[in-house]
Amino acid sequence: AQSVAQPEDQVNVAEGNPLTVKCTYSVSGNPYLFWYVQYPNRGLQFLLKYITGDNLVKGSYGFEAEFNKSQTSFHLKKPSALVSDSALYFCAVQSGGSYIPTFGRGTSLIVHP
Amino acid sequence: EAGVVQSPRYKIIEKKQPVAFWCNPISGHNTLYWYRQNLGQGPELLIRYENEEAVDDSQLPKDRFSAERLKGVDSTLKIQPAELGDSAVYLCASSLGLAEQFFGPGTRLTVL
């Protein structure tokens, strides 16, 4: 079985400060890891993914994530937060070769002006 | 390029009534997913299609839910009869194989 944990329901950060949204996972075999963002009344939008290669993955809108195999983590980061980054962020994992992702519960990111 | 299209965006029905949701995936995407997202939760897979074949449907409550993807393009998800607990957002997504998924805006279903 595969699972994802997003330990924080909400993350608050001031505009211009760095942000981190945490994600840990459990999966058999090599993981495929994804981050998606959801704005109000919208579907999920892909941000970035890790399949293989460099542990540091760069994605859309200045976001990046670091794959840490020993800690089974895939935290989302951004050096300087914008108010427009405020949204719901979902981490997802699927085992290599599987088409079925498991999503976390989501973390609400609030960036204060 | 058009994204994933879903309709309707909102639906309010009384319990025991039928309801249907429609999805048109991104052109050329062979894999189509239907998810249910409850408030405060991540999406949960209901069914996955590879072209016109349903290949993962273990989470689909088959006593009341059905789905089809004729000709391997657009898809319809149906609930009959609807129950109060079916109130949720129903998301459709498509992808090329194991790549990232592209989601539609969803249909928010309210069952009264």
Side-chain angles (χ1 to χ4, degrees):
Chain A
Q2 57 193 34
S3 64
V4 172
Q6 292 183 243
E8 301 153 318
D9 289 336
Q10 184 171 303
V11 170
N12 291 276
V13 65
E15 187 174 32
N17 283 359
L19 69 87
T20 299
V21 182
K22 295 180 180 178
C23 171
T24 59
Y25 67 89
S26 173
V27 69
S28 300
N30 294 323
Y32 290 7
L33 294 156
F34 304 84
W35 276 102
Y36 291 86
V37 60
Q38 187 174 33
Y39 297 98
N41 298 315
R42 303 279 296 275
L44 279 68
Q45 182 177 342
F46 170 75
L47 277 180
L48 51 80
K49 66 181 177 184
Y50 172 84
I51 303 297
T52 187
D54 284 344
N55 290 341
L56 184 63
V57 179
K58 294 187 182 296
S60 306
Y61 313 120
F63 284 93
E64 59 187 31
E66 185 167 10
F67 170 62
N68 188 315
K69 187 174 182 178
S70 62
Q71 297 187 4
T72 61
S73 67
F74 190 56
H75 301 331
L76 182 69
K77 300 182 179 184
K78 187 175 182 181
S80 179
L82 299 173
V83 172
S84 58
D85 292 330
S86 298
L88 196 54
Y89 290 80
F90 290 94
C91 181
V93 67
Q94 61 194 69
S95 62
S98 168
Y99 285 77
I100 305 176
T102 297
F103 287 83
R105 292 168 54 96
T107 298
S108 177
L109 173 67
I110 300 175
V111 181
H112 302 277
Chain B
E1 178 182 303
V4 176
V5 179
Q6 289 189 249
S7 68
R9 290 294 312 276
Y10 304 90
K11 190 73 176 179
I12 301 174
I13 61 172
E14 295 188 347
K15 63 181 180 183
K16 301 185 181 180
Q17 293 300 306
V19 64
F21 314 124
W22 177 80
C23 172
N24 190 271
I26 292 174
S27 177
H29 281 193
N30 57 326
T31 306
L32 184 146
Y33 305 76
W34 281 104
Y35 291 91
R36 177 166 57 191
Q37 185 178 21
N38 292 309
L39 191 63
Q41 303 289 328
E44 295 177 326
L45 182 72
L46 291 172
I47 190 168
R48 177 175 75 89
Y49 281 92
E50 283 294 327
N51 300 306
E52 66 275 10
E53 183 181 358
V55 292
D56 286 300
D57 64 355
S58 59
Q59 300 302 310
L60 190 72
K62 297 182 182 64
D63 57 336
R64 297 184 300 108
F65 286 64
S66 64
E68 61 182 10
R69 190 184 184 197
L70 299 177
K71 301 181 181 179
V73 181
D74 56 347
S75 176
T76 302
L77 178 69
K78 298 179 181 178
I79 308 175
Q80 182 171 11
E83 297 180 351
L84 295 177
D86 296 331
S87 295
V89 175
Y90 291 83
L91 294 167
C92 178
S94 68
S95 70
L96 279 172
L98 286 172
E100 63 273 16
Q101 296 179 34
F102 293 82
F103 284 80
T107 298
R108 183 177 297 276
L109 174 67
T110 301
V111 182
L112 303 175

